[in-house]
Amino acid sequence: MTPNLFDAGMESQIDQAVSILKRGGVVVFPTDTVYAVGALASNTQAVRRVFDIKGRANTKGLPALIGDISQINQVAKVFPPLARKLAKEYWPGGLTLVLPKTDNIPLELTGGNETVAIRIPNQPAVIEMLKRVGEPVTGTSANLSGCKSSLNAAEAKKQLGDRVDFILDGGQVSGGVESTIIAVNPDGLKIIRQGAIKESDILETAAKNGFSA
């Protein structure tokens, strides 16, 4: 029998979050940097609700979080060899890959774009939650648009109040450096935002695997 990785309280919270997400609800949860607002990425109504909760312009796309690299085909239409190498090197962690989206990912999620930003956060309880949900979940910061990111459950509650269905309390998070965002296409890669992973490390990993920027 596989031992439980979490105590009973966290197990209960994960189960509740998974149940709510599968029913089309909206959940707040900790990531490796800030607290995030999650809903099923394929559920157009739930995605619209996330935008409404945050007061975020719907032209700004939301990232999608997955719990395991095997879930990538649910959100990305293609997974180029370079993207695969980078994912294996830096996931879970501070890398966000921008790839062509699958048809089941609504344009509402991506701000009308045919690409989607994807990441596996380095947070064990949330990885477990995402695995149990079994499909991509939105991962935008749990704050009102333009306001300070929430670093604990109380801060998320203060900003978002009762507009979300559940807050998974994972304690204080670091508020660390945001992820590095990279678009991967047939011609190579483009670094959209410098973040937790240095550009030089990305380029070195690519070069070691026979790819160039």
Side-chain angles (χ1 to χ4, degrees):
M1 181 180 295
T2 303
N4 288 337
L5 297 176
F6 310 102
D7 62 30
M10 181 55 68
E11 280 285 347
S12 177
Q13 286 197 74
I14 293 171
D15 285 344
Q16 191 169 350
V18 169
S19 176
I20 290 168
L21 288 167
K22 286 184 173 181
R23 296 199 306 267
V26 176
V27 169
V28 168
F29 52 84
T31 70
D32 40 355
T33 52
V34 300
Y35 271 67
V37 180
L40 293 184
S42 61
N43 186 321
T44 301
Q45 186 175 353
V47 168
R48 287 174 180 165
R49 189 175 161 207
V50 171
F51 279 104
D52 289 343
I53 287 169
K54 283 178 59 69
R56 181 184 175 101
N58 60 12
T59 54
K60 297 181 179 180
L62 303 177
L65 303 181
I66 57 177
D68 187 84
I69 200 168
S70 64
Q71 296 177 322
I72 193 78
N73 62 345
Q74 297 181 42
V75 64
K77 185 176 292 184
V78 295
F79 194 27
L82 175 54
R84 189 180 298 274
K85 292 290 186 182
L86 292 172
K88 287 183 177 180
E89 180 74 19
Y90 297 111
W91 279 355
L95 174 70
T96 295
L97 291 174
V98 177
L99 298 169
K101 75 175 189 67
T102 55
D103 292 339
N104 69 309
I105 297 297
L107 289 171
E108 282 82 358
L109 180 82
T110 63
N113 296 313
E114 291 294 336
T115 56
V116 59
I118 311 160
R119 188 166 86 92
I120 299 179
N122 191 16
Q123 213 288 350
V126 172
I127 289 176
E128 182 65 20
M129 180 193 78
L130 292 165
K131 287 179 178 179
R132 294 184 193 181
V133 171
E135 59 178 291
V137 170
T138 66
T140 184
S141 56
N143 61 319
L144 297 174
S145 188
C147 295
K148 185 179 178 181
S149 297
S150 300
L151 301 184
N152 56 55
E155 290 178 3
K157 173 72 173 177
K158 184 176 180 180
Q159 287 204 53
L160 303 182
D162 296 325
R163 283 174 284 180
V164 299
D165 301 312
F166 182 67
I167 297 177
L168 195 163
D169 189 349
Q172 186 81 10
V173 297
S174 68
V177 180
E178 58 196 0
S179 66
T180 296
I181 302 177
I182 298 175
V184 180
N185 54 59
D187 300 323
L189 62 85
K190 177 182 179 182
I191 296 179
I192 298 174
R193 182 181 75 191
Q194 177 68 65
I197 302 170
K198 295 179 181 178
E199 179 178 355
S200 58
D201 292 339
I202 295 291
L203 297 178
E204 183 180 351
T205 299
K208 283 182 179 177
N209 288 283
F211 301 99
S212 59

